[in-house]
Amino acid sequence: MTDTSIRTYTNERETETETEDETTSVTDEQEHCPECGGRLISDDEHAETVCTDCGLVVEEDEIDRGPEWRAFDAAEKDEKSRVGAPTTNMMHDQGLSTNIGWQDKDAYGRSLSSRQRQKMQRLRTWNERFRTRDSKERNLKQALGEIDRMASALGLPENVRETASVIYRRALEEDLLPGRSIEGVATASLYAAARQAGTPRSLDEISAVSRVEKMELTRTYRYIIRELGLEVKPADPEHYVPRFVSDLDLSDETERMARDLLESARQEGVHSGKSPVGLAAAAVYAAALLTNEKVTQNEVSEVASISEVTIRNRYKELLEASDTAAPA
């Protein structure tokens, strides 16, 4: 009994070895020319596989699995391509459902008849109902619409919107919304995402485009950060400088000077307990004066959405810190 088992196992091993050898030989034949052993290449234009050394045609009449059209630039490629858009977290259904356009026109641009328009309107209604079949999807659709609206108003990039959408989805999955408004959690998610991405906006700027009050925003933000365990570093004043300089149409030299002033203030410990927006605005104002560029406290105040008193106070502190940090 034992001898039979050993012989059977040995035969199986021999069979496996023979199969592996056959597979290896077939692979080698596919990669090398059977006549001279040269390298094979695929000629898509003639649908053939040929040898680069002797020119032997190994295969012909191959199937062309590419598109039937040709494109000569990126714009033409995007126009002719028939694949769908990539999935995205910025839509409640991740962009996988079908959208029916609002234009009542056919493929040739001709207006539809009255009966066809009524039919299309019914299709849009039922399509919308199928896309948001339960309360969770309706909640997500409303919140992601709010995030997109506020991000557009604040000029935030797409990566911030994507991150904010992911944060809101996590809050919805963790059941953090009961007792809080959809707009409040959406605004807090966008505020956290902007700070994580290094493109922060002040609470006043966020509140200006949001439908919730500043107090509710701060309370919801702290709750979301704590419950989801998000790592959000304190806002760096230098992150606000490029935007302020651009809005005031100042030079690169002024931006560099503002960064130097903020670095000196950091070394002297002036940052502690101060608003990063106020420090950034004061640094830009001080740098503009040092580089002989004309800008008023009122203009900086409007761009940064803070008071002129704050700019004057921080402006003096930054200059004192710069004088202290300067080598004797």
Coordinates of all heavy atoms in Angstrom, one line a residue, residues 211-301:
R211 N -24.2 78.3 5.3 CA -25.6 78.6 5.8 C -25.7 78.3 7.3 O -26.8 78.3 7.8 CB -26.6 77.7 5.1 CG -26.7 78.0 3.6 CD -27.9 77.2 3.0 NE -28.1 77.7 1.6 CZ -27.6 77.1 0.5 NH1 -26.9 75.9 0.7 NH2 -27.9 77.5 -0.7
V212 N -24.6 78.2 8.0 CA -24.6 78.0 9.5 C -23.8 79.1 10.1 O -22.9 79.8 9.5 CB -24.0 76.6 9.9 CG1 -24.8 75.5 9.3 CG2 -22.5 76.5 9.4
E213 N -24.1 79.4 11.4 CA -23.4 80.4 12.1 C -22.0 80.0 12.5 O -21.7 78.8 12.6 CB -24.2 80.8 13.3 CG -25.5 81.4 13.0 CD -26.3 81.8 14.3 OE1 -25.8 81.5 15.4 OE2 -27.4 82.4 14.1
K214 N -21.1 80.9 12.8 CA -19.8 80.7 13.2 C -19.6 79.8 14.4 O -18.8 78.9 14.5 CB -19.0 82.0 13.4 CG -17.5 81.8 13.6 CD -16.8 83.2 13.7 CE -15.3 83.0 14.0 NZ -14.7 84.3 14.1
M215 N -20.5 80.0 15.4 CA -20.5 79.3 16.7 C -20.8 77.8 16.4 O -20.1 76.9 16.9 CB -21.4 79.9 17.7 CG -21.4 79.2 19.0 SD -19.8 79.5 19.8 CE -19.9 81.3 20.1
E216 N -21.8 77.6 15.6 CA -22.2 76.2 15.3 C -21.0 75.5 14.5 O -20.7 74.3 14.7 CB -23.5 76.1 14.5 CG -23.9 74.7 14.1 CD -25.2 74.7 13.3 OE1 -25.8 75.7 13.1 OE2 -25.5 73.6 12.8
L217 N -20.4 76.2 13.6 CA -19.3 75.7 12.8 C -18.2 75.2 13.7 O -17.6 74.1 13.5 CB -18.8 76.7 11.8 CG -17.5 76.4 11.0 CD1 -17.6 75.1 10.3 CD2 -17.2 77.6 10.1
T218 N -17.7 76.1 14.6 CA -16.6 75.7 15.5 C -16.9 74.5 16.4 O -16.1 73.7 16.6 CB -16.2 76.9 16.3 OG1 -17.4 77.4 17.1 CG2 -15.7 78.1 15.5
R219 N -18.2 74.5 16.9 CA -18.6 73.4 17.7 C -18.6 72.1 17.0 O -18.1 71.1 17.4 CB -20.0 73.7 18.3 CG -20.4 72.7 19.4 CD -21.6 73.3 20.2 NE -22.7 73.7 19.3 CZ -23.1 74.9 19.2 NH1 -22.5 75.9 19.8 NH2 -24.1 75.2 18.4
T220 N -19.2 72.1 15.8 CA -19.3 70.9 14.9 C -17.9 70.5 14.5 O -17.6 69.3 14.4 CB -20.1 71.2 13.7 OG1 -21.4 71.7 14.1 CG2 -20.4 69.9 12.9
Y221 N -17.0 71.4 14.2 CA -15.6 71.1 13.7 C -14.9 70.3 14.8 O -14.2 69.3 14.6 CB -14.9 72.4 13.3 CG -13.4 72.2 13.1 CD1 -13.0 71.5 12.0 CD2 -12.5 72.7 14.0 CE1 -11.6 71.4 11.8 CE2 -11.2 72.6 13.8 CZ -10.7 71.9 12.7 OH -9.3 71.7 12.5
R222 N -14.9 70.9 16.0 CA -14.2 70.2 17.1 C -14.8 68.8 17.4 O -14.0 67.8 17.6 CB -14.4 71.0 18.4 CG -13.7 72.3 18.4 CD -13.6 73.0 19.8 NE -13.1 74.3 19.7 CZ -13.9 75.4 19.8 NH1 -15.2 75.3 19.9 NH2 -13.3 76.6 19.8
Y223 N -16.1 68.6 17.2 CA -16.7 67.3 17.4 C -16.3 66.3 16.4 O -15.9 65.2 16.7 CB -18.2 67.5 17.4 CG -19.0 66.2 17.5 CD1 -19.1 65.5 18.7 CD2 -19.7 65.7 16.4 CE1 -19.8 64.3 18.8 CE2 -20.4 64.5 16.4 CZ -20.4 63.8 17.6 OH -21.1 62.6 17.7
I224 N -16.3 66.8 15.1 CA -15.9 65.9 14.0 C -14.4 65.5 14.1 O -14.0 64.3 13.9 CB -16.1 66.6 12.6 CG1 -17.6 66.8 12.4 CG2 -15.5 65.8 11.5 CD1 -18.4 65.5 12.3
I225 N -13.5 66.4 14.4 CA -12.1 66.1 14.6 C -11.9 65.1 15.7 O -11.1 64.2 15.6 CB -11.3 67.4 14.9 CG1 -11.3 68.4 13.7 CG2 -9.9 67.1 15.3 CD1 -10.6 67.8 12.5
R226 N -12.6 65.3 16.8 CA -12.4 64.4 18.0 C -12.9 63.0 17.7 O -12.2 62.0 17.9 CB -13.1 65.0 19.2 CG -12.9 64.2 20.5 CD -13.5 64.8 21.7 NE -15.0 64.8 21.6 CZ -15.7 65.9 21.3 NH1 -15.1 67.1 21.2 NH2 -17.0 65.9 21.3
E227 N -14.1 62.9 17.1 CA -14.7 61.6 16.9 C -14.1 60.8 15.8 O -14.0 59.6 15.9 CB -16.2 61.8 16.6 CG -17.0 62.3 17.8 CD -17.0 61.4 19.0 OE1 -17.0 60.2 18.8 OE2 -17.0 62.0 20.1
L228 N -13.6 61.4 14.8 CA -13.0 60.7 13.6 C -11.5 60.6 13.8 O -10.9 59.9 13.0 CB -13.3 61.5 12.3 CG -14.7 61.5 11.9 CD1 -14.9 62.3 10.5 CD2 -15.3 60.1 11.7
G229 N -10.9 61.2 14.8 CA -9.5 61.1 15.0 C -8.6 61.7 13.9 O -7.6 61.2 13.6
L230 N -9.1 62.8 13.4 CA -8.4 63.5 12.3 C -7.2 64.2 12.8 O -7.2 64.9 13.9 CB -9.3 64.4 11.5 CG -10.5 63.8 10.9 CD1 -11.3 64.9 10.2 CD2 -10.1 62.8 9.8
E231 N -6.1 64.1 12.1 CA -4.8 64.8 12.5 C -4.8 66.2 11.7 O -4.5 66.2 10.5 CB -3.6 64.0 12.2 CG -3.5 62.7 13.0 CD -2.3 61.9 12.8 OE1 -1.5 62.4 11.9 OE2 -2.1 60.9 13.4
V232 N -5.1 67.2 12.3 CA -5.1 68.6 11.7 C -4.1 69.4 12.5 O -4.3 69.7 13.7 CB -6.5 69.2 11.7 CG1 -6.5 70.6 11.0 CG2 -7.5 68.3 11.0
K233 N -3.1 69.8 11.8 CA -2.1 70.7 12.4 C -2.6 72.1 12.6 O -3.5 72.5 11.8 CB -0.8 70.7 11.6 CG -0.1 69.3 11.5 CD 1.1 69.4 10.7 CE 1.8 68.1 10.5 NZ 3.0 68.1 9.7
P234 N -2.1 72.8 13.5 CA -2.5 74.3 13.7 C -2.2 75.0 12.4 O -1.2 74.8 11.7 CB -1.6 74.8 14.8 CG -1.3 73.5 15.6 CD -1.2 72.4 14.6
A235 N -3.0 75.9 12.0 CA -2.9 76.7 10.8 C -1.6 77.5 10.8 O -1.3 78.1 11.8 CB -4.1 77.6 10.5
D236 N -0.8 77.4 9.7 CA 0.4 78.1 9.6 C 0.2 79.5 8.9 O -0.4 79.5 7.8 CB 1.4 77.3 8.8 CG 2.8 77.9 8.8 OD1 3.0 79.1 9.2 OD2 3.8 77.2 8.5
P237 N 0.6 80.6 9.5 CA 0.3 81.9 8.9 C 0.9 82.0 7.5 O 0.4 82.7 6.6 CB 1.0 82.9 9.8 CG 1.0 82.2 11.1 CD 1.2 80.7 10.8
E238 N 2.0 81.3 7.2 CA 2.6 81.3 5.9 C 1.7 80.8 4.8 O 1.9 81.1 3.6 CB 4.0 80.6 5.9 CG 5.1 81.3 6.7 CD 6.4 80.6 6.5 OE1 6.6 79.9 5.5 OE2 7.3 80.9 7.3
H239 N 0.8 79.9 5.1 CA -0.1 79.4 4.1 C -1.1 80.4 3.6 O -1.6 80.3 2.5 CB -0.9 78.2 4.7 CG -0.1 77.0 5.0 ND1 -0.5 76.0 5.9 CD2 1.1 76.6 4.5 CE1 0.4 75.1 5.9 NE2 1.4 75.4 5.1
Y240 N -1.3 81.5 4.3 CA -2.2 82.6 3.9 C -1.5 83.6 3.1 O -2.2 84.3 2.3 CB -2.9 83.2 5.1 CG -3.8 82.4 5.9 CD1 -3.3 81.7 7.0 CD2 -5.1 82.2 5.6 CE1 -4.1 80.9 7.8 CE2 -6.0 81.5 6.4 CZ -5.5 80.8 7.5 OH -6.3 80.0 8.2
V241 N -0.2 83.7 3.2 CA 0.6 84.8 2.6 C 0.4 84.8 1.0 O 0.1 85.9 0.5 CB 2.0 84.7 3.0 CG1 2.9 85.7 2.1 CG2 2.2 85.0 4.4
P242 N 0.6 83.7 0.3 CA 0.5 83.7 -1.2 C -0.8 84.3 -1.6 O -0.9 85.0 -2.6 CB 0.7 82.3 -1.6 CG 1.5 81.7 -0.5 CD 1.0 82.3 0.8
R243 N -1.9 83.9 -1.0 CA -3.3 84.3 -1.4 C -3.4 85.8 -1.2 O -4.0 86.5 -2.0 CB -4.3 83.5 -0.7 CG -5.7 83.9 -1.1 CD -6.7 82.8 -0.7 NE -6.6 82.4 0.7 CZ -7.4 83.0 1.6 NH1 -8.3 83.9 1.3 NH2 -7.3 82.7 2.9
F244 N -3.0 86.3 0.0 CA -3.1 87.7 0.3 C -2.3 88.6 -0.7 O -2.7 89.6 -1.2 CB -2.7 88.0 1.7 CG -3.6 87.4 2.8 CD1 -3.2 87.4 4.1 CD2 -4.8 87.0 2.4 CE1 -4.0 86.8 5.0 CE2 -5.7 86.4 3.4 CZ -5.3 86.4 4.7
V245 N -1.0 88.1 -1.0 CA -0.2 88.8 -1.9 C -0.8 88.9 -3.3 O -0.7 89.9 -4.0 CB 1.2 88.1 -1.9 CG1 2.1 88.7 -3.1 CG2 1.9 88.4 -0.6
S246 N -1.4 87.7 -3.7 CA -2.0 87.7 -5.0 C -3.2 88.6 -5.1 O -3.4 89.3 -6.1 CB -2.4 86.2 -5.4 OG -3.0 86.2 -6.6
D247 N -4.0 88.6 -4.1 CA -5.2 89.4 -4.1 C -4.9 90.9 -4.1 O -5.6 91.7 -4.7 CB -6.1 89.1 -2.9 CG -6.8 87.7 -3.0 OD1 -6.8 87.2 -4.2 OD2 -7.2 87.2 -2.0
L248 N -3.8 91.3 -3.5 CA -3.3 92.7 -3.4 C -2.4 93.1 -4.6 O -2.0 94.2 -4.6 CB -2.6 92.9 -2.1 CG -3.5 92.8 -0.8 CD1 -2.6 92.8 0.4 CD2 -4.5 94.0 -0.8
D249 N -2.1 92.1 -5.4 CA -1.3 92.3 -6.6 C 0.1 92.9 -6.2 O 0.6 93.9 -6.8 CB -2.0 93.3 -7.6 CG -1.4 93.3 -9.0 OD1 -0.7 92.3 -9.3 OD2 -1.5 94.2 -9.7
L250 N 0.7 92.2 -5.2 CA 2.0 92.6 -4.8 C 3.1 91.8 -5.4 O 2.8 90.8 -6.1 CB 2.1 92.6 -3.2 CG 1.1 93.4 -2.5 CD1 1.2 93.2 -1.0 CD2 1.4 94.9 -2.8
S251 N 4.4 92.1 -5.2 CA 5.5 91.5 -5.9 C 6.0 90.2 -5.1 O 5.6 90.0 -4.0 CB 6.7 92.4 -6.1 OG 7.2 92.8 -4.8
D252 N 6.8 89.4 -5.8 CA 7.4 88.3 -5.2 C 8.3 88.7 -4.0 O 8.5 87.9 -3.0 CB 8.1 87.4 -6.2 CG 7.2 86.8 -7.2 OD1 6.0 86.7 -6.9 OD2 7.7 86.4 -8.3
E253 N 9.0 89.8 -4.2 CA 9.9 90.3 -3.2 C 9.1 90.6 -1.9 O 9.6 90.3 -0.8 CB 10.6 91.6 -3.6 CG 11.6 92.1 -2.6 CD 12.2 93.4 -3.1 OE1 11.8 93.9 -4.2 OE2 13.1 94.0 -2.4
T254 N 7.9 91.1 -2.0 CA 7.1 91.3 -0.8 C 6.7 90.0 -0.1 O 6.7 89.9 1.1 CB 5.8 92.1 -1.2 OG1 6.2 93.4 -1.8 CG2 4.9 92.4 0.0
E255 N 6.4 89.0 -0.9 CA 6.0 87.7 -0.4 C 7.2 87.1 0.4 O 7.0 86.6 1.5 CB 5.6 86.8 -1.5 CG 5.1 85.4 -1.0 CD 4.6 84.5 -2.1 OE1 4.3 85.0 -3.2 OE2 4.5 83.3 -1.9
R256 N 8.4 87.2 -0.2 CA 9.6 86.7 0.5 C 9.8 87.4 1.8 O 10.2 86.8 2.8 CB 10.8 86.8 -0.4 CG 10.8 85.8 -1.6 CD 12.2 85.7 -2.2 NE 12.5 87.0 -2.8 CZ 12.2 87.3 -4.1 NH1 11.6 86.5 -4.9 NH2 12.6 88.5 -4.6
M257 N 9.7 88.7 1.8 CA 9.9 89.5 3.0 C 8.8 89.2 4.0 O 9.2 89.1 5.2 CB 9.8 91.0 2.6 CG 9.9 92.0 3.8 SD 11.6 91.9 4.5 CE 12.5 92.7 3.2
A258 N 7.6 88.9 3.6 CA 6.6 88.6 4.6 C 6.9 87.2 5.2 O 6.7 87.0 6.5 CB 5.2 88.5 3.9
R259 N 7.4 86.3 4.5 CA 7.8 85.0 5.0 C 8.9 85.1 6.0 O 9.0 84.4 7.0 CB 8.2 84.0 3.9 CG 7.0 83.6 3.0 CD 7.5 82.6 1.9 NE 6.4 82.3 1.0 CZ 5.5 81.3 1.2 NH1 5.6 80.6 2.4 NH2 4.5 81.0 0.4
D260 N 9.9 86.0 5.7 CA 11.0 86.2 6.6 C 10.5 86.8 7.9 O 11.0 86.5 9.0 CB 12.0 87.2 5.9 CG 12.7 86.5 4.8 OD1 12.7 85.3 4.7 OD2 13.3 87.2 3.9
L261 N 9.6 87.7 7.8 CA 9.0 88.3 9.1 C 8.3 87.3 9.9 O 8.5 87.3 11.2 CB 8.1 89.5 8.7 CG 8.7 90.8 8.1 CD1 7.6 91.7 7.6 CD2 9.6 91.4 9.1
L262 N 7.6 86.4 9.3 CA 6.9 85.4 10.0 C 7.9 84.4 10.7 O 7.6 83.9 11.8 CB 5.9 84.7 9.1 CG 4.7 85.5 8.7 CD1 3.8 84.7 7.7 CD2 3.8 85.8 9.9
E263 N 9.0 84.1 9.9 CA 10.0 83.2 10.5 C 10.6 83.8 11.7 O 10.9 83.1 12.7 CB 11.0 82.9 9.4 CG 12.1 81.9 9.8 CD 11.5 80.5 10.3 OE1 10.5 80.1 9.7 OE2 12.2 79.9 11.1
S264 N 10.9 85.1 11.6 CA 11.5 85.8 12.8 C 10.6 85.8 14.0 O 11.0 85.6 15.1 CB 11.9 87.2 12.4 OG 12.8 87.3 11.3
A265 N 9.3 86.0 13.7 CA 8.3 85.9 14.8 C 8.2 84.6 15.4 O 8.0 84.4 16.6 CB 6.9 86.4 14.2
R266 N 8.3 83.5 14.6 CA 8.3 82.2 15.1 C 9.4 81.9 16.0 O 9.3 81.3 17.1 CB 8.2 81.1 14.0 CG 8.2 79.7 14.4 CD 8.2 78.7 13.3 NE 6.9 78.7 12.6 CZ 6.7 79.3 11.4 NH1 7.8 79.8 10.8 NH2 5.6 79.3 10.8
Q267 N 10.6 82.4 15.7 CA 11.8 82.2 16.5 C 11.6 82.9 17.8 O 12.1 82.4 18.9 CB 13.0 82.7 15.8 CG 13.4 81.9 14.5 CD 14.5 82.5 13.7 OE1 15.1 83.5 14.2 NE2 14.9 81.9 12.6
E268 N 10.9 84.0 17.8 CA 10.8 84.8 19.0 C 9.5 84.4 19.8 O 9.2 85.0 20.9 CB 10.7 86.3 18.7 CG 12.0 86.9 18.1 CD 13.2 86.7 19.0 OE1 13.0 87.0 20.2 OE2 14.3 86.4 18.5
G269 N 8.8 83.5 19.3 CA 7.6 83.0 20.0 C 6.4 83.9 20.0 O 5.5 83.8 20.8
V270 N 6.3 84.8 18.9 CA 5.2 85.7 18.8 C 3.9 84.9 18.3 O 2.8 85.4 18.6 CB 5.6 86.8 17.8 CG1 4.4 87.8 17.6 CG2 6.8 87.6 18.4
H271 N 4.1 83.8 17.6 CA 3.0 83.1 17.1 C 2.0 82.6 18.2 O 0.8 82.4 17.9 CB 3.5 81.9 16.3 CG 3.9 82.3 14.9 ND1 4.1 81.4 13.9 CD2 4.3 83.5 14.4 CE1 4.5 82.0 12.8 NE2 4.7 83.3 13.1
S272 N 2.5 82.3 19.3 CA 1.7 81.6 20.3 C 0.5 82.5 20.7 O 0.6 83.6 21.1 CB 2.6 81.4 21.6 OG 1.9 80.7 22.6
G273 N -0.7 81.8 20.6 CA -1.9 82.5 21.0 C -2.4 83.5 20.1 O -3.4 84.2 20.4
K274 N -1.8 83.7 18.9 CA -2.2 84.7 17.9 C -3.0 84.1 16.8 O -2.7 82.9 16.4 CB -1.0 85.5 17.4 CG -0.2 86.1 18.5 CD -0.9 87.2 19.2 CE 0.1 88.1 20.1 NZ 0.9 87.3 21.0
S275 N -3.9 84.8 16.2 CA -4.6 84.4 15.0 C -3.7 84.3 13.8 O -3.0 85.3 13.5 CB -5.8 85.3 14.7 OG -6.3 85.0 13.4
P276 N -3.6 83.1 13.2 CA -2.7 83.0 12.0 C -3.1 84.0 10.9 O -2.2 84.4 10.1 CB -2.8 81.5 11.6 CG -4.1 81.1 12.2 CD -4.3 81.9 13.4
V277 N -4.4 84.2 10.7 CA -4.8 85.2 9.7 C -4.3 86.6 10.0 O -3.8 87.3 9.1 CB -6.3 85.1 9.5 CG1 -6.8 86.1 8.4 CG2 -6.8 83.7 9.3
G278 N -4.4 87.0 11.2 CA -3.9 88.3 11.6 C -2.4 88.5 11.4 O -2.0 89.5 10.9
L279 N -1.7 87.4 11.8 CA -0.2 87.5 11.6 C 0.1 87.6 10.1 O 1.0 88.3 9.7 CB 0.4 86.2 12.3 CG 0.5 86.2 13.8 CD1 0.9 84.9 14.3 CD2 1.4 87.3 14.3
A280 N -0.6 86.8 9.3 CA -0.2 86.8 7.9 C -0.6 88.1 7.3 O 0.2 88.7 6.5 CB -1.0 85.7 7.2
A281 N -1.7 88.7 7.6 CA -2.1 90.0 7.1 C -1.1 91.1 7.5 O -0.7 91.9 6.7 CB -3.5 90.3 7.5
A282 N -0.7 91.1 8.8 CA 0.2 92.1 9.3 C 1.6 91.9 8.6 O 2.3 92.9 8.3 CB 0.4 91.9 10.8
A283 N 2.0 90.7 8.4 CA 3.3 90.4 7.7 C 3.3 90.9 6.3 O 4.3 91.5 5.8 CB 3.6 88.9 7.7
V284 N 2.2 90.7 5.6 CA 2.1 91.2 4.2 C 2.1 92.8 4.2 O 2.8 93.4 3.3 CB 0.8 90.7 3.5 CG1 0.5 91.4 2.2 CG2 0.9 89.2 3.3
Y285 N 1.4 93.4 5.1 CA 1.4 94.9 5.2 C 2.7 95.4 5.5 O 3.2 96.4 4.9 CB 0.3 95.3 6.3 CG 0.3 96.8 6.5 CD1 -0.1 97.7 5.5 CD2 0.8 97.3 7.7 CE1 -0.1 99.0 5.7 CE2 0.8 98.7 7.9 CZ 0.3 99.5 6.9 OH 0.3 100.9 7.1
A286 N 3.4 94.8 6.5 CA 4.8 95.3 6.9 C 5.8 95.1 5.7 O 6.6 95.9 5.5 CB 5.2 94.5 8.1
A287 N 5.7 93.9 5.1 CA 6.6 93.6 4.0 C 6.4 94.6 2.8 O 7.3 95.0 2.2 CB 6.4 92.2 3.5
A288 N 5.1 95.0 2.6 CA 4.8 95.9 1.5 C 5.5 97.3 1.8 O 6.0 98.0 0.9 CB 3.3 96.1 1.3
L289 N 5.4 97.7 3.0 CA 6.0 99.0 3.4 C 7.5 98.9 3.3 O 8.2 99.9 2.9 CB 5.6 99.3 4.9 CG 4.1 99.6 5.1 CD1 3.9 100.0 6.6 CD2 3.6 100.7 4.2
L290 N 8.1 97.8 3.7 CA 9.6 97.6 3.7 C 10.1 97.6 2.2 O 11.3 97.9 2.0 CB 10.0 96.4 4.4 CG 9.8 96.4 6.0 CD1 10.1 95.1 6.6 CD2 10.6 97.5 6.6
T291 N 9.3 97.1 1.3 CA 9.7 97.0 -0.1 C 9.2 98.2 -0.9 O 9.2 98.2 -2.2 CB 9.2 95.7 -0.7 OG1 7.8 95.6 -0.6 CG2 9.9 94.5 -0.1
N292 N 8.7 99.2 -0.2 CA 8.2 100.5 -0.9 C 7.0 100.2 -1.9 O 7.0 100.8 -3.0 CB 9.4 101.2 -1.6 CG 10.4 101.6 -0.7 OD1 10.2 102.1 0.4 ND2 11.7 101.5 -1.1
E293 N 6.1 99.3 -1.5 CA 4.9 99.1 -2.3 C 3.7 99.8 -1.6 O 3.6 99.7 -0.4 CB 4.7 97.6 -2.5 CG 5.7 97.0 -3.4 CD 5.2 95.7 -4.0 OE1 4.1 95.7 -4.7 OE2 5.8 94.6 -3.8
K294 N 2.9 100.4 -2.4 CA 1.8 101.2 -1.8 C 0.6 100.2 -1.5 O 0.0 99.7 -2.5 CB 1.3 102.3 -2.8 CG 2.4 103.3 -3.0 CD 1.9 104.4 -3.9 CE 3.0 105.5 -4.1 NZ 2.5 106.6 -5.0
V295 N 0.3 100.1 -0.3 CA -0.9 99.3 0.2 C -1.4 99.9 1.5 O -0.5 100.3 2.3 CB -0.6 97.8 0.3 CG1 0.5 97.6 1.4 CG2 -1.8 97.0 0.5
T296 N -2.6 100.0 1.7 CA -3.2 100.6 2.9 C -3.7 99.5 3.8 O -3.9 98.3 3.4 CB -4.3 101.5 2.6 OG1 -5.4 100.7 2.0 CG2 -3.9 102.6 1.6
Q297 N -3.8 99.8 5.1 CA -4.3 98.8 6.1 C -5.8 98.4 5.7 O -6.2 97.3 5.9 CB -4.3 99.4 7.5 CG -2.9 99.6 8.0 CD -2.9 100.2 9.4 OE1 -3.9 100.3 10.0 NE2 -1.7 100.5 9.9
N298 N -6.5 99.4 5.2 CA -7.9 99.1 4.8 C -8.0 98.0 3.7 O -8.8 97.1 3.7 CB -8.6 100.4 4.3 CG -10.1 100.1 4.0 OD1 -10.7 99.4 4.7 ND2 -10.5 100.7 2.9
E299 N -7.1 98.1 2.7 CA -7.0 97.1 1.6 C -6.7 95.7 2.1 O -7.3 94.7 1.8 CB -6.0 97.6 0.5 CG -6.5 98.8 -0.2 CD -5.4 99.3 -1.1 OE1 -4.2 99.0 -0.9 OE2 -5.7 100.1 -2.1
V300 N -5.7 95.7 3.0 CA -5.3 94.4 3.6 C -6.4 93.8 4.5 O -6.7 92.6 4.5 CB -4.0 94.5 4.4 CG1 -3.6 93.2 5.0 CG2 -2.8 95.0 3.5
S301 N -7.1 94.7 5.2 CA -8.2 94.3 6.0 C -9.3 93.7 5.3 O -9.9 92.7 5.7 CB -8.7 95.5 6.8 OG -9.8 95.2 7.6

